Amino acid sequence: MESETSDLRVDVTDRVATLTLNRPEKLNALSEAMIDGAIAALQRCATDPDVGCVVVTGAGRGFCAGGDVSAMAGGGGAPKTFEAHVDRQRAGHELSRLLYEMPKVTIAAVNGAAAGAGLGVALSCDLVLASERARFATAFARVGFGGDFGTTWQLTRRVGPAKAKELFFLADVIGAEEALRLGLVNRVIAGDDFAGEVAKIATRIAHGPLVSYRYMKENVNLALTSDFRTLLDREAVTHLRCGQTADHREGVAAFLEKREPRFQGR
């Protein structure tokens, strides 16, 4: 699986697709080419049977600094209407939506600074694994923006409205341990072990019961917006759907034989 831009590297190894944001000289600030390339790669990964898990990380010492402020200042190109800018922004937001909704498990491997839209991209993943050197900030107030790439939705649900407003209004930078305490990240991993530990977790998921993971992800996401009865009704369907899979049969056999299951992702 290849990327059509140097701003993004895509690699698939042992059923794990790794998308590396690749503008290290700008702390991987988002470019249009990077966003478009990531969206196209995620669309392919969503239906690729050889991909069981997707990892998003950054090249160099940063994860993603958000929008490219220097490009914003430069302007350039033919003038666009406000509506055209909105259309482009909405198209870019597909990156966060895919990470949040695609049927594969997504992992943000936050190796450094995640700010602004970069924070939104990270929090849109199912799991956020942070290096001890990771730093997080909303950053929007510092440049007079209101928040994009899902940051308001994600932060409010992770930390509550009062803390989310504080993080937006003050735009303070917080470290990995504070992010863990607030519930922004799942785990903090020592810097020297970071890449290896992320790979272990991603590979474990990539070789797991993928149909089960798909419905777990959908149901947890649905639980944020639906009532209990709706979830019970959906669980009745998805639980029994998983019971029809080869992985369910393998899991039962492994349990009875007292061995580790060998899932096939189907």
Side-chain angles (χ1 to χ4, degrees):
M1 185 180 294
E2 297 181 355
S3 171
E4 295 181 357
T5 172
S6 60
D7 288 0
L8 179 77
R9 300 201 309 265
V10 182
D11 172 75
V12 179
T13 301
D14 201 11
R15 298 181 58 78
V16 176
T18 301
L19 277 59
T20 303
L21 310 180
N22 191 38
R23 301 179 76 202
E25 73 285 358
K26 291 183 174 291
L27 293 179
N28 304 314
L30 297 172
S31 67
E32 288 198 4
M34 181 190 291
I35 294 169
D36 291 345
I39 290 171
L42 291 173
Q43 288 170 335
R44 295 193 298 270
C45 289
T47 58
D48 188 341
D50 294 325
V51 173
C53 180
V54 175
V55 174
V56 181
T57 193
R61 61 188 179 88
F63 175 77
C64 178
D68 189 339
V69 177
S70 60
M72 298 174 199
K80 293 182 180 179
T81 65
F82 175 76
E83 289 74 18
H85 283 292
V86 170
D87 289 342
R88 177 59 200 169
Q89 187 77 9
R90 285 174 174 160
H93 284 178
E94 185 72 359
L95 171 56
S96 291
R97 188 196 69 78
L98 281 167
L99 290 169
Y100 184 74
E101 294 185 357
M102 68 184 294
K104 309 292 175 67
V105 175
T106 57
I107 298 175
V110 183
N111 53 304
L119 178 63
V121 169
L123 297 185
S124 294
C125 292
D126 299 312
L127 300 177
V128 182
L129 306 179
S131 162
E132 61 185 359
R133 293 189 284 266
R135 297 294 181 267
F136 301 84
T138 59
F140 299 110
R142 296 182 181 275
V143 290
F145 268 140
D148 61 357
F149 281 80
T151 48
T152 49
W153 197 93
Q154 295 287 359
L155 272 179
T156 301
R157 282 158 176 78
R158 286 173 182 259
V159 304
K163 190 65 179 182
K165 289 174 184 176
E166 177 189 334
L167 293 172
F168 276 114
F169 297 161
L170 302 183
D172 291 334
V173 178
I174 63 174
E177 291 296 338
E178 177 66 4
L180 179 65
R181 187 186 70 80
L182 290 174
L184 293 182
V185 308
N186 295 90
R187 298 184 184 183
V188 175
I189 301 170
D192 292 341
D193 300 330
F194 185 64
E197 288 301 312
V198 169
K200 287 180 184 178
I201 294 169
T203 302
R204 177 179 172 182
I205 290 172
H207 289 272
L210 300 187
V211 176
S212 296
Y213 290 160
R214 172 179 184 157
Y215 290 120
M216 290 172 185
K217 175 171 179 170
E218 289 182 3
N219 289 352
V220 170
N221 289 350
L222 182 61
L224 292 169
T225 58
S226 71
D227 59 78
F228 189 43
R229 180 180 292 275
T230 298
L231 254 295
L232 287 174
D233 288 344
R234 178 168 172 79
E235 283 182 350
V237 175
T238 58
H239 186 72
L240 293 177
R241 167 66 187 100
C242 293
Q244 296 177 337
T245 62
D247 282 344
H248 169 68
R249 294 190 292 274
E250 164 62 13
V252 171
F255 177 82
L256 295 175
E257 296 166 13
K258 295 181 172 57
R259 60 173 174 81
E260 288 296 312
R262 296 182 290 272
F263 294 122
Q264 300 298 313
R266 53 186 174 83

